Amino acid sequence: MRCKQAGTLTRDLLYPLLKLNGYSDITPRRMCRFEFDTRQPRDMKETAETLDLLVRSAVPVAWALAESGIPAVRDGEPLLHRRITCRPLPGPA
């Protein structure tokens, strides 16, 4: 998502610096641009409840990841998960 400040920085800061440093043949359309992530943080409780519902509903993983904004796991990347501990069963008394 772009915001007004990104366009202003690109136009008023980056473009003049490129011109001063000898890049006079570059057009504003071909320049790199500033972009800021302006998304609001998600409510983690609501996200957890929604994910639990999606898991129980058996929806496609790709769709759930795209809709929730959660990135897919890369090879070798550590995962955040619940650690399950088992208690030994009591033996005969």
Side-chain angles (χ1 to χ4, degrees):
M1 177 179 270
R2 287 189 70 188
C3 60
K4 284 175 101 175
Q5 292 84 359
T8 302
L9 283 172
T10 301
R11 184 189 70 237
D12 295 344
L13 179 68
L14 190 59
Y15 188 65
L17 284 173
L18 286 170
K19 287 286 198 179
L20 283 172
N21 285 298
Y23 294 97
S24 58
D25 59 339
I26 194 164
T27 63
R29 205 181 85 176
R30 293 189 58 222
M31 265 185 359
C32 55
R33 289 172 173 45
F34 284 101
E35 287 192 22
F36 298 105
D37 183 3
T38 57
R39 295 177 291 180
Q40 296 295 321
R42 295 177 185 249
D43 178 12
M44 292 304 287
K45 183 177 180 182
E46 182 181 325
T47 302
E49 290 169 355
T50 303
L51 285 174
D52 185 48
L53 179 65
L54 291 173
V55 168
R56 285 195 248 154
S57 301
V59 297
V61 172
W63 180 85
L65 292 176
E67 288 296 311
S68 66
I70 298 172
V73 179
R74 296 184 186 137
D75 290 335
E77 185 175 25
L79 299 175
L80 181 65
H81 59 87
R82 183 183 347 184
R83 187 175 302 245
I84 299 173
T85 56
C86 298
R87 289 188 224 144
L89 294 173

